[in-house]
Amino acid sequence: MSDSISAEQLRLFIERIERLEEEKKGIADDIKDVYAEAKSTGFDTKTMRAIVKLRKMEKHHRDEAEALLDTYKAALGLA
């Protein structure tokens, strides 16, 4: 009896994951469309992606990353 319950529960988990994967693909496509629209109006999407990445970071992590970047640039004569 528990095998059929476990199998049913597993099937439900798999179906939920499949639905979420489908939604994730749709959202990824929407994000791609927004970047394409921004690019068509003259924005640099590489820079936009960098900004989005920075905005996801907590301030102290962002400050640390920027300090490391400045240190590395200075070491390589890029500053």
Side-chain angles (χ1 to χ4, degrees):
M1 187 78 123
S2 67
D3 288 340
S4 65
I5 293 172
S6 296
E8 177 66 15
Q9 191 176 25
L10 175 61
R11 185 185 61 75
L12 292 172
F13 281 132
I14 297 297
E15 288 174 355
R16 282 175 53 197
I17 291 168
E18 289 170 342
R19 278 193 304 276
L20 291 168
E21 288 289 343
E22 188 69 28
E23 290 176 25
K24 184 169 80 171
K25 183 189 178 316
I27 291 170
D29 289 343
D30 291 346
I31 291 169
K32 219 161 133 180
D33 291 345
V34 172
Y35 278 115
E37 182 180 348
K39 185 175 183 173
S40 73
T41 58
F43 290 99
D44 180 66
T45 57
K46 185 176 180 180
T47 303
M48 288 176 62
R49 288 180 192 278
I51 294 294
V52 169
K53 182 179 176 183
L54 287 172
R55 287 173 52 111
K56 287 181 186 178
M57 299 171 97
E58 294 178 13
K59 181 167 177 15
H60 68 277
H61 286 120
R62 187 173 53 243
D63 291 343
E64 182 181 327
E66 289 175 358
L68 279 171
L69 181 60
D70 289 342
T71 300
Y72 288 10
K73 285 171 35 179
L76 296 171
L78 299 172

